Amino acid sequence: MIPAGLGAALVALSTLTTLLYIGLGFLPRPSPAAAIWSLAFCGSMVSSYLWAAADVSDSTVLRATASGFMVAMVGVVWIGLCARRGATGWRWWPVIAFALGAPLLLAALAETSVFLTAVRAVFLAAGVFSALTIAELVRLGPLLRDEILPLALMSALFVLFAALGLAHEVVRLTTGQDAGQVLSTTRNLNMLGSLLFLVTAAVTLLLLTRRDTPAPGTLESSSFQTVARDRLARAEALGDRWWSVLVVRLDDPESLRDASSTNAFEHMAEQFTAAVRQALPAESDIEQRGATELVVLLPRPVGAVRQILANLLEQVAESGADGPLAVRLSASVGWAQVEVAGYDLTELIVAAGDAADEAQELGGDRWCRVEPVTA
């Protein structure tokens, strides 16, 4: 039997985290990753209800099924992280196989002498998915280190306890120790681990979701696109060639984040944004993309854009002098003109983004202009 307090806490917490994530994460900021993470929280909630029902009915098979299904949600969290960076594909198949195989295996062996061994094997497999989760979190880089820390630490503990559980099982089988008391302790630890995993996953995934995608209908996500497309359509109809799209990025944000605290980095990002906005004319349209990138639609001839960019780079450099680290900030700017890249906003942004990448590769603190393709 599982302590009633732990069982009730798991049901309550799984329900709460599911409602919080869907209500504050997925619905305001829908994305493929958010949909997958919502599925993971829903699966954990259903598993907790099955676990509570098994405890009431004292059904070993139902309890084993619930345990296997809940552990499988670790793999679904990993898939969501992969989807966030646009890489899923074949990765779905091992997760689906684990989500189906783990509860079936534990249910089939629930009343046999090898059930504890099966539990340890399932948790070892889940530990592999936790290790993959850590790898995906590390790939997010230092800019998100505060956001990823709760889930990364919990995943590391999961890997550690999965390895310790396997080692203990080897010793138990070697010494012939009875599995009864060990199984009861393992269930309680698993229940406690599930509670901690739900909390840390909810914190990290909610922070990532709300940071990644601006809410639909906000000024940044809808008004800029609407206004910019309308301006470009009218410019094309009139044959107006003096329109450009700029992509402005702060140089080396990862290094700045590593060398500073969260508050210090946020202050530098705010200084950078303020400097860029101050350097641009009032009639330009600006979209903020994250803390360190802006997209600008600018109605100016070539000579005027050059002067604006020179002033922009100078103001960004001066903005860091009064910051917490007193460092010289710099920016890389990609510049795409409509007479070169066309009047389609998406194509202009892509072209300007590629030019900004080129500017960063050349050392930053400069702008690169998209040149016409010669035959």
Side-chain angles (χ1 to χ4, degrees):
M1 292 288 290
I2 296 173
L6 278 179
L10 182 62
V11 170
L13 191 60
S14 64
T15 304
L16 179 62
T17 53
T18 301
L19 295 176
L20 284 176
Y21 182 79
I22 293 177
L24 299 178
F26 174 67
L27 292 179
R29 292 169 169 81
S31 67
I36 294 171
W37 290 330
S38 297
L39 178 64
F41 282 109
C42 288
S44 298
M45 181 177 65
V46 171
S47 299
S48 69
Y49 293 157
L50 291 177
W51 214 339
D55 205 37
V56 170
S57 61
D58 199 21
S59 172
T60 305
V61 174
L62 186 57
R63 183 182 295 116
T65 303
S67 300
F69 193 58
M70 178 166 286
V71 170
M73 294 303 104
V74 176
V76 180
V77 170
W78 169 65
I79 279 290
L81 289 169
C82 294
R84 183 182 179 276
R85 64 179 177 90
T88 50
W90 61 268
R91 293 169 177 81
W92 269 111
W93 296 109
V95 173
I96 292 174
F98 184 54
L100 295 176
L104 290 176
L105 175 66
L106 295 184
L109 301 177
E111 298 180 346
T112 66
S113 59
V114 297
F115 177 65
L116 180 57
T117 303
V119 170
R120 295 281 170 77
V122 166
F123 270 82
L124 182 64
V128 173
F129 286 111
S130 291
L132 293 173
T133 297
I134 295 173
E136 288 294 328
L137 291 172
V138 170
R139 289 182 66 140
L140 297 179
L143 292 180
L144 296 173
R145 69 183 182 192
D146 292 345
E147 289 85 347
I148 69 175
L149 186 61
L151 183 57
L153 288 177
M154 189 61 214
S155 297
L157 287 175
F158 198 115
V159 173
L160 175 62
F161 279 101
L164 291 176
L166 178 65
H168 182 270
E169 185 62 15
V170 171
V171 172
R172 187 190 71 81
L173 293 175
T174 303
T175 59
Q177 182 181 359
D178 180 64
Q181 183 61 36
V182 177
L183 182 59
S184 177
T185 303
T186 300
R187 283 173 177 165
N188 293 338
L189 288 176
N190 292 346
M191 179 76 77
L192 183 60
S194 298
L195 291 170
L196 295 176
F197 190 87
L198 281 171
V199 172
T200 55
V203 171
T204 291
L205 300 182
L206 190 55
L207 288 175
L208 290 178
T209 302
R210 294 186 66 86
R211 181 183 178 114
D212 285 344
T213 311
T218 62
L219 177 63
E220 298 295 342
S221 65
S222 62
S223 295
F224 173 82
Q225 300 285 331
T226 302
V227 172
R229 292 184 192 279
D230 178 67
R231 292 187 193 277
L232 290 171
R234 288 187 286 116
E236 184 178 18
L238 295 172
D240 186 350
R241 298 180 293 114
W242 303 126
W243 288 83
S244 300
V245 165
L246 309 176
V247 171
V248 187
R249 293 174 183 162
L250 178 67
D251 287 331
D252 299 321
E254 293 85 1
S255 300
L256 292 172
R257 182 66 181 86
D258 281 335
S260 61
S261 65
T262 300
N263 290 336
F265 178 76
E266 289 179 352
H267 182 67
M268 284 186 287
E270 290 172 358
Q271 287 180 312
F272 162 74
T273 301
V276 173
R277 290 180 177 272
Q278 185 177 357
L280 295 170
E283 63 269 26
S284 58
D285 298 296
I286 305 173
E287 179 186 26
Q288 180 90 32
R289 292 191 170 185
T292 60
E293 180 176 325
L294 297 97
V295 177
V296 183
L297 178 65
L298 185 62
R300 283 291 189 277
V302 174
V305 174
R306 292 179 187 273
Q307 294 177 1
I308 290 171
L309 291 179
N311 182 48
L312 185 152
L313 293 176
E314 182 179 350
Q315 291 208 29
V316 169
E318 294 175 352
S319 67
D322 299 329
L325 295 181
V327 296
R328 183 183 185 278
L329 300 181
S330 64
S332 294
V333 184
W335 173 15
Q337 294 175 266
V338 294
E339 61 180 347
V340 176
Y343 288 87
D344 182 85
L345 178 63
T346 302
E347 293 180 2
L348 283 165
I349 292 175
V350 171
D354 292 340
D357 291 337
E358 182 181 352
Q360 288 180 321
E361 291 172 0
L362 292 174
D365 196 18
R366 68 188 68 207
W367 52 266
C368 284
R369 179 182 171 190
V370 178
E371 299 294 343
V373 178
T374 57

